[in-house]
Amino acid sequence: MKMFFLLAFFGILILNKEEVSSSPLSRSSIVGGQDAEEGAWPWQVYIQIQMNHNQATFCGGSLISEQWVLTAAHCFKPSSLLKHSFVRLGAYKLDQPSNHEVKKSIKKVVLHEQYEKATDGFDIALVQLDSEVSLSPYISPVQLAKPNDVFTEDTECWATGWGMTRGNVPLAPPRTLQEVQLAIIDNRRCQSMYNSEIIRKDMMCAGYEDGQKDTCQGDSGGPLVCRKGNCWIQAGIVSFGRCCGRPNSPGVYTRVSSFTDWIKKHSGV
């Protein structure tokens, strides 16, 4: 598996690939997807995390209230410079910011206390914005899955994000938000595809046995949302996987419904 980092040096973005045998695939954007419509996924956020003066990574996330964002714990390192990091809300085309977009600084980040690495579970984090954001049709929180919510292969689910459209192929300018419909794969069947990793109860899988559609490298932490009646419910958080769109290698997501009490405790949401 591979981790991917974006390095910013003299204003130039350089993709640096590092082989890490035991690390999760840093995932985000979309393989086999399409341009989303502006405002279709108003909870989607872009998080830029400054690692040092010349290096930054980016992750996806979801707005869950006026001041809190839900994302993946593995997006953050002890060396992350939060005072130089930021969140873009209402973003659509990353290279062409619109009047709907708002940029916020980060007040604090709360990582799950049991998190060690994504493949061991508990890959969840909360980001508190430095101030409340004004809600609009382009910036709006998502509802979170509850413990009794059930998602099956018949549930309509979508993932969204920016970044690679397949391994080592960046999203072309102006980097429009991508969306892809994915099928839920039950944990037992998912486990049969992942020989080396344990698919825990606090994880869920989404994708297709023949591959082709998936999340990919770039910014982990983005939302997997599923339709429940007339509402979209966040069921998962992009966590890890094996390559992008490979057959029998669905994406693995943090199961949001396993962490409702933890989210409530730390954010009040």
Side-chain angles (χ1 to χ4, degrees):
M1 290 178 284
K2 304 175 178 68
M3 290 290 285
F4 288 75
F5 300 92
L6 285 180
L7 304 180
F9 186 70
F10 296 125
I12 301 173
L13 286 178
I14 305 169
L15 187 65
N16 180 41
K17 181 174 71 175
E18 179 184 358
E19 296 284 350
V20 184
S21 60
S22 62
S23 296
L25 177 66
S26 183
R27 322 201 89 207
S28 153
S29 190
I30 300 301
V31 174
Q34 62 197 21
D35 288 357
E37 292 186 8
E38 187 170 16
W41 312 105
W43 44 80
Q44 175 76 44
V45 307
Y46 174 95
I47 308 170
Q48 180 158 315
I49 304 156
Q50 199 69 27
M51 304 303 293
N52 55 46
H53 293 297
N54 296 322
Q55 182 183 7
T57 64
F58 63 91
C59 273
S62 53
L63 187 69
I64 61 171
S65 75
E66 287 89 341
Q67 202 171 359
W68 288 96
V69 165
L70 188 65
T71 188
H74 81 259
C75 290
F76 300 92
K77 311 297 180 189
S79 58
S80 299
L81 303 176
L82 296 183
K83 67 178 180 179
H84 298 297
S85 304
F86 58 83
V87 177
R88 291 170 65 175
L89 305 101
Y92 178 55
K93 297 179 179 180
L94 293 181
D95 298 331
Q96 298 175 3
S98 72
N99 293 331
H100 307 304
E101 186 175 325
V102 174
K103 181 177 174 181
K104 290 285 187 179
S105 297
I106 294 174
K107 182 176 181 179
K108 72 175 179 181
V109 173
V110 182
L111 306 183
H112 197 285
E113 53 276 7
Q114 291 180 256
Y115 171 77
E116 292 185 2
K117 60 181 180 179
T119 51
D120 287 345
F122 305 101
D123 189 13
I124 187 170
L126 287 161
V127 175
Q128 186 177 22
L129 307 177
D130 66 337
S131 62
E132 292 189 355
V133 64
S134 298
L135 303 184
S136 74
Y138 301 93
I139 301 174
S140 181
V142 65
Q143 291 188 44
L144 300 179
K146 297 178 175 60
N148 60 347
D149 284 331
V150 177
F151 305 100
T152 70
E153 61 182 10
D154 297 322
T155 308
E156 180 186 355
C157 299
W158 292 76
T160 47
W162 296 274
M164 301 292 173
T165 53
R166 59 182 184 272
N168 288 335
V169 180
L171 183 63
R175 294 192 290 163
T176 303
L177 180 66
Q178 299 291 292
E179 62 182 19
V180 67
Q181 187 170 0
L182 299 172
I184 300 299
I185 296 176
D186 71 71
N187 281 28
R188 182 176 299 180
R189 188 152 59 99
C190 187
Q191 181 65 76
S192 70
M193 303 180 200
Y194 276 88
N195 297 323
S196 60
E197 308 295 351
I198 297 175
I199 305 303
R200 296 164 41 92
K201 290 182 179 179
D202 65 358
M203 301 173 180
M204 62 188 302
C205 301
Y208 300 94
E209 289 188 4
D210 62 354
Q212 307 302 320
K213 296 183 178 183
D214 199 358
T215 49
C216 194
Q217 298 98 330
D219 62 350
S220 305
L224 174 72
V225 297
C226 299
R227 187 185 292 276
K228 185 179 180 182
N230 294 323
C231 297
W232 290 105
I233 307 294
Q234 183 171 355
I237 302 167
V238 180
S239 183
F240 70 94
R242 187 169 54 202
C243 296
C244 303
R246 178 191 288 184
N248 297 311
S249 301
V252 183
Y253 299 75
T254 301
R255 188 182 292 271
V256 171
S257 61
S258 297
F259 296 97
T260 53
D261 290 343
W262 184 86
I263 294 169
K264 178 74 173 180
K265 175 182 176 181
H266 294 283
S267 70
V269 178

